Amino acid sequence: MKYKVFVSFIAYTHNGGGKVAGFLKAVDDYLSSTFECHEIIIVNDGSTDSTASEVESASRGLNGNLILINLPWRHGLEPAMTAGLHKSVGDFVYEMDSIDTDCPDDFLRKMYETAVTGFDIVAGVPEAAQSMSSRLFYRFINRVSYADLHMTSETVRLASRRAINAMLSLKEKFRYRKALYLLTGYPKKNLLYRSPSRGRSGRPWYEDLDLALDVVIGYSNIGIKAIHFLSASLAIGGWAIYGYFFENVIEGWTAIMVFLSCVFSGLFFILGMLGEYILRILNEVKGRPYYTVSSVKVFSETANAAKAGRVGRLERDSQATEPSR
Amino acid sequence: MRYDHLILGAGIYGLYAATLLGKRGLKVLVAEYEDGPFRRASWINQARVHHGYHYPRSVSTALRTAMYYRRFNADFPFAINRSFKKIYALSSVGSLTNAAQFLKFCEHVGIPATEINASAYFNPQYVEAAFETEEYAFDPFAVRDSLMEKARETGKVDFLFGARLLNAERQGGVYSVAFGDGRRVEAPAVLNATYSSTNQVLSKFGFQPMNIKYEICEVIMVGVGGRLKDAGLTVMDGQFFSVMPFGLTGSHSLTSVAFTPHMSSYEKLPVFMCQERNPECTPGQLANCNTCPAKPSSAFPYMNQLAKKYLATGMEMGYEGSLFAIKPILLAAELDDSRPTIVMRLSEEPSFVSVLSGKINTVYDLEEVL
Ligand SMILES: Cc1cc2nc3c(=O)[nH]c(=O)nc-3n(C[C@H](O)[C@H](O)[C@H](O)COP(=O)(O)OP(=O)(O)OC[C@H]3O[C@@H](n4cnc5c(N)ncnc54)[C@H](O)[C@@H]3O)c2cc1C
């Protein structure tokens, strides 16, 4: 029996050309065997490989609409997925942050079944697949954040339409969906799954680092605190070192240098930190579009079926006759 | 058989031309593929009498459209449904126009627009602003009946329904046109008003086909209640969609940019996979999608979801049926979505005129050439 809901499935890819066909087939099989209606949305984040044409040829034979959103340059995960969310029309929406995620169909189904018991947001967390760095990161952010975030690595998420609407209407320019969903206040549940392979985001480390920095700045005031702390401790440290060297150096030259360098490094750190916050304000004020789309392609259910040689699935109710007047 | 003018196609363009020429006392034959008039695009469309709101990126198109709007409403008052509020809304995501620009544009063109509270009809999250405007819906059957009546009144117009155009050749100052039933018609002037078959007819007459993209489109008929009953809604840009009264039939039509087209063809002579299932429908001659055994199944589930997302609660709609037609889109017009009506005179003697229409109410463009 299929669930009588409309489900959207959004997946992110950057240069995933070789893998999209297999991914689409698997997701389409799962969705069409579980739900009455579905659409798949692929967000192609500035791929330089053949991703777009691979998606087009993989649309053949799919059982629902496939929408390809092409972004003209690389935006990064969060803006790209937001583009997908804006396009989606489903009552429930799966968000998969990488097409490399291999989470089993049974688990995806369990996510939906959990959602309908009263959780607007259900997240899939790979068991024991977290890398050291992401474990440390989440420990850190959960500790320093002023919001009660309870964040972990999530590779796939299912959200209800009302949770998505609430999340999208939060005006923040820097969008970290995981935290924004929590801010909506809708009930959330994390489900563990055993991933056959080690979960990797597939992004280079510097992008992860960038995202991590954004999250820390966006959801905690640790930066401000660090500035206060640093300015105090550097002053004390500078004085201590000065004292230590005072007896050995006749001219006092080293002491002054150490003092100066400590103070300047502290100052630059503070400036850097302030710069981050000012950048944030600038971005909010500029009101630039959050993402730019170069094209959207809809591969309709009809066209997908026709390409696979299944044309004109006759339905009794799609008959229309001239209204009698 | 000999006529003064042969018209191919009995949609609004063909019939309007027939009344025009008949009134001048010319002997006219309207040859139509179907068994009656108005079986394709002239029936199967959104029934919107465009007033210009669609063209915030092309003021000249909007100005002309507004002029045609007034004339069409004056000519077919009995076929116009004015009894609903026409609301235009700007999508808050992916919109290329904002509220201030839209109002300025309307003022410039001289078409009314008053900003209203969007949440009366829409989910305010996805709609930046909403405007009450003036735009009507026409009833295709009432237009058809009146044009047929006018043609008959002239006493000069004959009809050939179920016509199968085989080939045409020039013989001195006339075209000699052969039809499937063995009939041969000679006429010094021919009008090609076959819309989605324009290129097919052009090539049978030995002219260059135009650069056209074809889309199999579905216009969904829905039943609505409550506030939607007396309203026509159009969301511009973003996920462009529209639900509005379908003429005087009591149903609403439901369409959207993303889900209305089911398949497209970029060949000059249209090729669709579904043609394999219908031997009557070929790249040389399109048959009727609406009665085709291989027509697509409805995209209503998608459209309904889209509407649910954009509309305020309590605006549900019930599926009544689907209508299918092929829309030819001039490729040069895609960039500024101006959807012009192209009327071309391709030969003087014998005369050959071809029209590819963009809208219903630009039918008056025919007067300049005929
Ligand atoms: C989905 C859709 C929505 C639209 N919405 C609107 C709207 O809201 N407002 C608006 O103003 N316009 C709209 N349009 C455009 C409008 O419908 C057309 O511009 C208009 O109907 C064209 O009229 P026509 O007489 O040229 O074509 P048609 O009504 O299609 O007439 C062409 C006729 O030619 C016949 N024919 C084909 N081949 C041959 C042949 N070989 N020999 C003889 N006869 C032949 C066909 O059977 C047909 O009857 C829409 C179009 C579509 C497809």
Side-chain angles (χ1 to χ4, degrees):
Chain A
M1 193 209 66
K2 294 185 191 179
Y3 294 110
K4 286 200 174 349
V5 284
F6 191 113
V7 167
S8 303
F9 195 110
I10 310 174
Y12 171 92
T13 185
H14 170 77
N15 289 346
K19 294 178 215 140
V20 279
F23 172 81
L24 282 172
K25 175 88 181 64
V27 168
D28 183 68
D29 282 349
Y30 160 66
L31 293 170
S32 55
S33 64
T34 313
F35 303 104
E36 205 165 68
C37 270
H38 72 267
E39 64 177 1
I40 303 178
I41 299 174
I42 296 283
V43 189
N44 174 16
D45 189 14
S47 294
T48 48
D49 68 353
S50 58
T51 301
S53 58
E54 289 290 334
V55 169
E56 169 147 21
S57 55
S59 68
R60 175 203 165 106
L62 296 186
N63 292 301
N65 276 8
L66 170 66
I67 298 177
L68 171 66
I69 303 178
N70 290 312
L71 306 183
W73 60 83
R74 191 158 186 193
H75 284 56
L77 177 68
E78 295 293 329
M81 288 301 277
T82 306
L85 280 165
H86 276 144
K87 202 94 236 151
S88 71
V89 297
D91 301 313
F92 284 89
V93 179
Y94 282 98
E95 298 166 34
M96 195 171 260
D97 292 355
S98 159
I99 61 167
D100 297 329
T101 310
D102 45 4
C103 91
D105 288 1
D106 285 347
F107 180 75
L108 292 173
R109 192 171 294 116
K110 198 170 114 199
M111 288 175 72
Y112 174 73
E113 283 158 0
T114 309
V116 290
T117 63
F119 295 95
D120 284 82
I121 305 141
V122 179
V125 180
E127 199 172 75
Q130 272 188 31
S131 65
M132 191 63 189
S133 54
S134 51
R135 255 204 312 266
L136 278 176
F137 167 71
Y138 288 114
R139 228 205 244 146
F140 174 70
I141 180 72
N142 288 336
R143 179 160 219 137
V144 300
S145 170
Y146 41 72
D148 196 3
L149 291 179
H150 294 298
M151 285 195 285
T152 59
S153 301
E154 303 174 0
T155 54
V156 57
R157 196 178 297 111
L158 178 68
S160 69
R161 172 55 52 190
R162 63 173 186 175
I164 291 170
N165 285 354
M167 189 276 282
L168 289 177
S169 65
L170 293 172
K171 285 277 170 285
E172 247 170 282
K173 272 276 148 50
F174 165 68
R175 306 201 70 89
Y176 188 55
R177 285 162 298 143
K178 207 185 286 181
L180 290 175
Y181 275 123
L182 288 168
L183 292 181
T184 65
Y186 283 113
K188 176 178 181 189
K189 187 162 182 141
N190 289 348
L191 293 180
L192 284 178
Y193 73 93
R194 191 168 287 286
S195 163
S197 66
R198 234 181 108 79
R200 295 231 129 260
S201 65
R203 291 180 291 275
W205 62 270
Y206 48 85
E207 267 187 34
D208 276 337
L209 187 69
D210 201 37
L211 189 61
L213 191 67
D214 277 341
V215 174
V216 171
I217 290 177
Y219 293 94
S220 75
N221 45 22
I222 181 102
I224 299 275
K225 280 197 205 125
I227 292 171
H228 296 320
F229 176 77
L230 255 169
S231 40
S233 66
L234 274 176
I236 296 166
W239 175 77
I241 296 166
Y242 169 76
Y244 173 77
F245 284 110
F246 190 68
E247 281 144 65
N248 302 328
V249 178
I250 308 156
E251 309 292 341
W253 185 82
T254 323
I256 286 167
M257 284 317 283
V258 168
F259 181 74
L260 279 179
S261 62
C262 280
V263 168
F264 272 108
S265 71
L267 271 177
F268 283 134
F269 177 79
I270 291 164
L271 279 176
M273 226 44 218
L274 284 176
E276 282 290 337
Y277 282 99
I278 291 170
L279 183 71
R280 201 47 72 82
I281 297 168
L282 183 70
N283 278 337
E284 297 283 337
V285 168
K286 268 192 303 199
R288 251 199 208 156
Y290 188 50
Y291 54 83
T292 304
V293 172
S294 58
S295 66
V296 176
K297 285 203 170 133
V298 180
F299 303 101
S300 75
E301 190 180 322
T302 309
N304 298 342
K307 278 180 250 169
R310 289 181 269 127
V311 281
R313 293 189 303 143
L314 275 185
E315 277 179 9
R316 254 173 301 117
D317 61 3
S318 70
Q319 301 286 332
T321 42
E322 192 171 326
S324 50
R325 288 198 316 118
Chain B
M1 266 185 305
R2 203 179 163 109
Y3 285 90
D4 297 328
H5 216 112
L6 170 65
I7 296 173
L8 295 167
I12 186 168
Y13 279 73
L15 290 190
Y16 187 78
T19 59
L20 218 65
L21 298 169
K23 267 188 235 158
R24 281 188 216 151
L26 297 175
K27 211 165 159 273
V28 179
L29 177 70
V30 179
E32 162 60 50
Y33 183 95
E34 304 285 335
D35 293 332
F38 272 55
R39 296 286 167 89
R40 297 197 186 175
S42 295
W43 163 30
I44 297 151
N45 63 67
Q46 287 172 70
R48 181 195 306 277
V49 190
H50 280 278
H51 199 169
Y53 296 103
H54 274 238
Y55 312 105
R57 289 184 282 293
S58 173
V59 170
S60 63
T61 308
L63 278 168
R64 248 157 67 94
T65 308
M67 185 186 85
Y68 284 133
Y69 169 86
R70 291 187 280 272
R71 183 160 173 203
F72 191 87
N73 288 333
D75 283 0
F76 298 92
F78 47 85
I80 303 293
N81 181 351
R82 321 166 176 255
S83 68
F84 63 98
K85 279 193 183 166
K86 184 69 232 225
I87 314 291
Y88 269 81
L90 298 176
S91 170
S92 56
V93 242
S95 181
L96 301 174
T97 310
N98 65 31
Q101 284 170 342
F102 185 74
L103 282 171
K104 208 168 144 204
F105 155 80
C106 290
E107 197 184 325
H108 189 77
V109 179
I111 49 184
T114 324
E115 188 155 5
I116 59 160
N117 181 0
S119 54
Y121 295 97
F122 301 97
N123 174 353
Q125 182 179 348
Y126 293 111
V127 162
E128 179 193 309
F131 307 89
E132 188 173 338
T133 62
E134 188 204 290
E135 200 168 70
Y136 303 136
F138 69 91
D139 191 279
F141 311 114
V143 172
R144 173 196 66 193
D145 294 346
S146 114
L147 285 176
M148 286 300 278
E149 184 53 37
K150 276 190 196 145
R152 215 165 287 134
E153 275 169 13
T154 66
K156 300 298 258 178
V157 182
D158 287 345
F159 288 91
L160 175 65
F161 289 114
R164 295 292 180 272
L165 172 68
L166 291 183
N167 56 55
E169 55 196 60
R170 274 172 103 121
Q171 286 173 355
V174 297
Y175 280 107
S176 169
V177 182
F179 289 95
D181 58 356
R183 201 184 297 252
R184 197 164 260 288
V185 174
E186 283 171 1
V190 173
L191 172 70
N192 173 14
T194 55
Y195 197 50
S196 53
S197 286
T198 301
N199 273 352
Q200 303 177 322
V201 170
L202 284 178
S203 53
K204 280 185 182 149
F205 277 82
F207 296 108
Q208 280 294 319
M210 300 192 270
N211 254 330
I212 290 175
K213 160 192 172 186
Y214 301 84
E215 286 178 346
I216 299 185
C217 291
E218 177 187 11
V219 178
I220 302 178
M221 296 289 121
V222 291
V224 299
R227 233 172 319 146
L228 200 47
K229 188 94 203 146
D230 307 311
L233 309 179
T234 299
V235 177
M236 305 240 285
D237 289 343
Q239 282 168 314
F240 203 123
F241 86 99
S242 170
V243 52
M244 61 181 285
F246 188 63
L248 299 163
T249 62
S251 300
H252 272 46
S253 68
L254 177 62
T255 51
S256 86
V257 163
F259 303 129
T260 294
H262 278 259
M263 287 194 266
S264 24
S265 167
Y266 286 85
E267 311 292 327
K268 287 202 171 118
L269 298 180
V271 179
F272 289 101
M273 309 236 192
C274 45
Q275 287 170 332
E276 289 164 19
R277 284 271 307 274
N278 184 353
E280 263 211 47
C281 188
T282 61
Q285 175 61 53
L286 289 170
N288 191 328
C289 290
N290 211 36
T291 51
C292 179
K295 69 179 169 186
S297 51
S298 177
F300 179 69
Y302 298 98
M303 295 283 306
N304 191 38
Q305 283 298 125
L306 183 63
K308 245 168 62 183
K309 178 177 159 185
Y310 270 90
L311 300 186
T313 44
M315 309 264 259
E316 283 72 30
M317 43 189 92
Y319 181 74
E320 288 180 346
S322 301
L323 303 171
F324 292 92
I326 292 181
K327 182 184 242 175
I329 298 161
L330 203 65
L331 279 175
E334 273 226 311
L335 264 188
D336 62 354
D337 46 61
S338 58
R339 299 286 142 82
T341 291
I342 310 283
V343 191
M344 297 180 297
R345 175 176 290 284
L346 294 168
S347 165
E348 288 291 344
E349 236 163 76
S351 144
F352 188 94
V353 172
S354 185
V355 55
L356 181 69
S357 79
K359 285 183 280 292
I360 291 287
N361 48 330
T362 43
V363 67
Y364 303 115
D365 279 349
L366 284 175
E367 288 168 359
E368 291 166 24
V369 184
L370 290 183

